Amino acid sequence: MLPFFEEEMKRIEESIEDYRGGIRRNVAIISDPYYGEADLMARAASVAGPDGLRIDGRRLRHDFGILERAPQRIVVVDEAHRLSLRKVGGFDLMDRFLRFVTSEERLFITTWNSFSWRYLEEVLGIGRHFPRQIILPRLDAGQIREMLLAGREEGELTFVEEEAPGGDSKVLDWRVSRRAVMGHNIDLPYPSVDPGVIRSRLKRNRKEKKSGEDAFFERLAQISDGNPGVAEHLWKEALNYPEVRSSLRDPPTIDLDFDESFVLGVVLSSGSLELDELSEVLGPMDLSAETMAALLEEKGLVSIDGGVVTLRAEALKSDIEHERRLRLVW
Amino acid sequence: MGEEMATVAPESSSNLSASATSEGVSEASAGISSALQAFGIDSSTIVHVILVLVLAYVSTRIVAFLLTRFSERFHWLRLGIKMEIPLAKLAIYGFAVYHILGSIFQLSTNQLIALSGLVGAAVGFGLKDLVAEIVGGIVLVLDKPYQIGDKVRIDGHYGEVTDIGLRATRLVSPDDSLIVVSNQRMITQVLANATAGSLEMQVVIDLFIDSSSDASRAMKILRDAAVTSRYVYISSKRPVTIFLKDYPFYKRVRARVYVNDLRYEFKFESDVTKRAWDAFLEAGIEPPKAMVMDPVSTSPAA
């Protein structure tokens, strides 16, 4: 169990107590992918005890009847956003679920991908069905350090200073733009400033004033955007026991066309998606799910395993920035 | 002989007129050069002026190119950054004129008054339209009734504003035609601005169905097609609205919905229409039937 969502866990327990006392307030736990909300749900299910049923959205998608048949009064639904798909007719099951949530006397504790939640809030107004909304907060450098060093002794690990990859990149570089002048194509050179290199050099200068360990966790918090799952993934990459390499890579730069960006947004809004589900979304748009997923995999943004397309943790921050910039997620 | 005379006479008259013209030109050029000398302007000053104007032109092109690149990089600031292009052009040309008058010509107060008189006469006789267009350009830059990137309709033309120059505004129509409208017209005509500086833009999509088709189902399908489009933008201030209107022989289902970037206006419309019709046909919703009059049933004898 992650040690820093205690406040959020307390609110979930309060909801269960209130329900047992006669006040029903359905709960929605909202977070970006990799936040580790499944641990919270496991704990919620154990608090509910024999009165509780835990089920995930993907299973409900295939057999909604389970929910209707189950006798338990407290229903814990993991990844409830999976009940909708972004296609014509893709909200029917979600509509059915929301009607069920409103009409039943049971308590629903649900988790939602934050991007899906905001989209579904605009499209279906789902917020009114879940009066208690808990948004998992991002972690700061201290909390990430506490999480990753839990169970280790002081001085057990050595933080080794290394030059970040790509340190020889130029701030100012020349690029070429092809222009048609009087019927001839002419290559015109123009200066291009790389803001990523400037940021990275500024960070490196600041970092020098701090200890290697402090600088490492601050950079980890910044690259992971306070996301515990992403921080843990990057930690595993940096850890070579008993050494921790400080050379954390910057999130990849994203260069996608609009359709590829849309597909990435669909995956981001779910965390992971089966290729069949992606085909259902992209088919009517005359896009091939296999081709688009392969293109995203080639660019290091997703991985495809067993027919499931999953976001790569290390690219999550770049994905979110890119999608927000194009206003494909809100 | 008479024929010869007839042929010679025009030649001699043409020679006379040519020599008279060349004399006139040389007199005029002598007059201009003496006038220029009176202002202390020699050939090197003229070269200097031309150089400054060329530099100003090249600078405006470079600044416009760099700002456009920059705006594409920071997508959400695109329209704001592009709006600075006309201001930058105005500043560069303004500085160039100031430099020419102040540093190159080094005009005194009397000379400035004389120059204003000349400019006034030139404007009054031949350049008033050009000056009106430039003044229109300055008014547009300061008043901002539209920005680069806005979709506007003026004089029956509809298109995206791609450039606001000192003299004219350029629009690109949906069929990729370049429309150049003088700035004077842009400030005097009634102008409809569909976006007014926002990236998103409302799009109205009409689909027509047969009267006997299930209208409620059609409304739901059109709504689904709109909100699931890759180009859609939805927020509490930009909601999706579906309307139904009944006509004698068909029904109209209308979606009012926002596209996330006005550049995708027509792709958005096509995407929603295509996917909605695919789903309509699957659901047995049909397009209106062509109304063919049956001559037998409508004849008086029948």
Side-chain angles (χ1 to χ4, degrees):
Chain A
M1 175 62 199
L2 300 172
F4 27 78
F5 291 139
E6 284 305 314
E7 189 60 37
E8 287 71 27
M9 189 61 226
K10 207 177 282 175
R11 292 183 66 194
I12 296 170
E13 285 170 356
E14 271 172 22
S15 297
I16 295 173
E17 278 170 30
D18 288 349
Y19 176 67
R20 286 178 174 149
I23 302 167
R24 187 174 80 110
R25 269 187 290 185
N26 292 323
V27 182
I29 299 158
I30 304 155
S31 66
D32 290 357
Y34 290 107
Y35 257 71
E37 63 282 1
D39 291 335
L40 279 179
M41 297 304 269
R43 199 154 151 197
S46 77
V47 171
D51 215 11
L53 165 74
R54 188 176 178 201
I55 192 163
D56 72 79
R58 189 170 271 156
R59 194 163 159 218
L60 268 186
R61 196 173 166 71
H62 295 294
D63 183 7
F64 195 81
I66 295 177
L67 203 56
E68 292 166 329
R69 292 189 298 271
Q72 287 91 342
R73 294 169 60 235
I74 300 172
V75 183
V76 178
V77 183
D78 284 275
E79 302 189 304
H81 53 268
R82 292 192 182 282
L83 290 168
S84 70
L85 265 188
R86 194 159 167 166
K87 62 168 192 166
V88 175
F91 304 112
D92 294 352
L93 199 57
M94 181 60 79
D95 278 333
R96 190 175 163 192
F97 175 66
L98 295 176
R99 277 198 302 274
F100 192 77
V101 164
T102 311
S103 60
E104 289 280 313
E105 285 304 312
R106 304 188 211 184
L107 176 69
F108 287 86
I109 301 170
T110 52
T111 61
W112 300 81
N113 174 298
S114 55
F115 304 104
S116 276
W117 173 269
R118 285 190 281 273
Y119 173 71
L120 291 170
E121 172 67 4
E122 299 300 346
V123 174
L124 301 174
I126 52 173
R128 63 180 184 268
H129 299 278
F130 300 92
R132 183 161 272 178
Q133 293 160 21
I134 300 170
I135 298 168
L136 297 188
R138 62 182 62 176
L139 307 186
D140 60 28
Q143 290 172 311
I144 289 178
R145 181 205 298 254
E146 191 188 335
M147 173 182 82
L148 297 174
L149 296 184
R152 295 194 188 273
E153 288 176 16
E154 203 171 329
E156 183 183 335
L157 299 174
T158 312
F159 289 81
V160 182
E161 292 279 345
E162 278 182 3
E163 185 70 18
D168 58 344
S169 303
K170 289 178 184 171
V171 172
L172 184 69
D173 208 352
W174 287 92
R175 293 190 184 182
V176 173
S177 169
R178 179 155 288 192
R179 296 258 146 180
V181 180
M182 297 171 76
H184 298 281
N185 283 330
I186 296 177
D187 289 336
L188 294 173
Y190 69 95
S192 169
V193 177
D194 189 339
V197 176
I198 296 174
R199 270 200 304 271
S200 134
R201 291 200 180 169
L202 286 173
K203 268 179 238 149
R204 212 181 304 158
N205 290 342
R206 277 200 299 268
K207 198 172 67 176
E208 278 160 12
K209 294 170 192 156
K210 294 173 183 163
S211 79
E213 187 176 329
D214 289 346
F216 174 85
F217 283 109
E218 280 198 13
R219 182 149 164 71
L220 187 59
Q222 186 259 323
I223 292 178
S224 64
D225 205 19
N227 182 318
V230 175
E232 194 172 6
H233 174 85
L234 295 171
W235 169 256
K236 282 176 186 163
E237 277 193 352
L239 180 64
N240 183 18
Y241 190 83
E243 289 184 346
V244 181
R245 294 184 306 277
S246 67
S247 57
L248 291 167
R249 272 182 300 178
D250 276 320
T253 307
I254 295 186
D255 180 21
L256 301 175
D257 68 20
F258 189 84
D259 287 340
E260 291 163 358
S261 301
F262 172 72
V263 178
L264 182 64
V266 172
V267 182
L268 178 63
S269 300
S270 198
S272 68
L273 205 64
E274 286 174 15
L275 268 174
D276 290 346
E277 292 172 321
L278 198 56
S279 291
E280 282 186 57
V281 175
L282 302 184
M285 297 175 184
D286 298 326
L287 297 173
S288 156
E290 286 77 13
T291 309
M292 299 306 274
L295 283 170
L296 295 180
E297 187 182 35
E298 201 173 282
K299 293 181 178 178
L301 304 175
V302 301
S303 59
I304 306 172
D305 190 16
V308 178
V309 186
T310 308
L311 285 174
R312 292 186 76 98
E314 63 271 30
L316 185 65
K317 190 183 178 197
S318 298
D319 294 343
I320 294 171
E321 284 171 355
H322 176 76
E323 295 296 314
R324 284 210 173 118
R325 200 162 55 232
L326 292 183
R327 308 209 297 179
L328 288 169
V329 298
W330 301 290
Chain B
M1 186 66 189
E3 281 180 3
E4 277 179 16
M5 283 297 290
T7 52
V8 169
E11 267 182 23
S12 58
S13 73
S14 122
N15 286 341
L16 280 173
S17 69
S19 65
T21 309
S22 66
E23 276 174 23
V25 168
S26 60
E27 272 176 24
S29 62
I32 289 168
S33 61
S34 64
L36 289 174
Q37 277 166 2
F39 280 110
I41 299 169
D42 54 18
S43 58
S44 71
T45 310
I46 292 169
V47 171
H48 199 156
V49 168
I50 291 170
L51 197 65
V52 169
L53 289 175
V54 169
L55 267 175
Y57 174 75
V58 172
S59 304
T60 58
R61 302 292 291 190
I62 291 173
V63 167
F65 172 73
L66 290 176
L67 285 176
T68 305
R69 285 261 159 179
F70 194 65
S71 69
E72 293 300 330
R73 185 167 217 159
F74 299 95
H75 191 268
W76 65 102
L77 297 173
R78 178 162 57 89
L79 297 185
I81 295 172
K82 279 192 173 173
M83 192 54 213
E84 303 312 319
I85 294 174
L87 271 176
K89 282 183 180 175
L90 188 65
I92 291 169
Y93 282 127
F95 180 76
V97 170
Y98 171 77
H99 180 68
I100 290 167
L101 294 179
S103 303
I104 301 174
F105 289 142
Q106 295 177 336
L107 297 181
S108 65
T109 313
N110 287 340
Q111 286 168 328
L112 264 177
I113 292 166
L115 183 70
S116 346
L118 275 175
V119 170
V123 168
F125 285 116
L127 299 174
K128 65 180 173 52
D129 289 341
L130 180 67
V131 172
E133 284 166 357
I134 292 173
V135 170
I138 294 168
V139 170
L140 285 177
V141 166
L142 299 177
D143 190 40
K144 298 182 181 176
Y146 57 87
Q147 303 181 14
I148 291 178
D150 281 356
K151 294 265 181 141
V152 299
R153 182 182 297 280
I154 186 161
D155 263 3
H157 298 294
Y158 177 71
E160 180 182 343
V161 178
T162 56
D163 184 38
I164 303 171
L166 275 184
R167 196 192 68 75
T169 293
R170 286 172 170 75
L171 316 177
V172 173
S173 71
D175 59 0
D176 213 25
S177 302
L178 179 68
I179 302 159
V180 182
V181 186
S182 81
N183 287 336
Q184 193 191 359
R185 284 194 79 76
M186 292 300 277
I187 56 170
T188 53
Q189 298 292 305
V190 175
L191 178 133
N193 189 339
T195 46
S198 298
L199 265 183
E200 69 272 11
M201 171 188 175
Q202 192 186 73
V203 176
V204 177
I205 301 167
D206 286 338
L207 300 181
F208 296 91
I209 59 169
D210 184 58
S211 288
S212 61
S213 295
D214 182 348
S216 302
R217 181 105 181 89
M219 289 172 77
K220 186 187 175 302
I221 288 173
L222 181 57
R223 187 174 196 281
D224 277 7
V227 300
T228 57
S229 172
R230 67 198 112 162
Y231 304 108
V232 75
Y233 181 77
I234 319 168
S235 72
S236 50
K237 286 182 183 169
R238 304 278 189 252
V240 177
T241 322
I242 308 292
F243 303 93
L244 177 70
K245 187 161 177 136
D246 201 12
Y247 289 90
F249 305 111
Y250 55 84
K251 288 172 181 163
R252 185 192 70 195
V253 192
R254 166 174 283 184
R256 280 187 190 277
V257 58
Y258 288 80
V259 60
N260 64 12
D261 187 324
L262 52 88
R263 289 186 293 191
Y264 302 130
E265 176 191 359
F266 300 105
K267 285 185 176 179
F268 179 48
E269 201 175 329
S270 303
D271 176 55
V272 174
T273 305
K274 187 243 173 212
R275 288 184 306 111
W277 265 114
D278 287 348
F280 278 3
L281 295 177
E282 258 181 48
I285 297 167
E286 295 187 352
K289 292 180 182 69
M291 296 304 294
V292 181
M293 298 293 280
D294 180 353
V296 178
S297 62
T298 52
S299 68

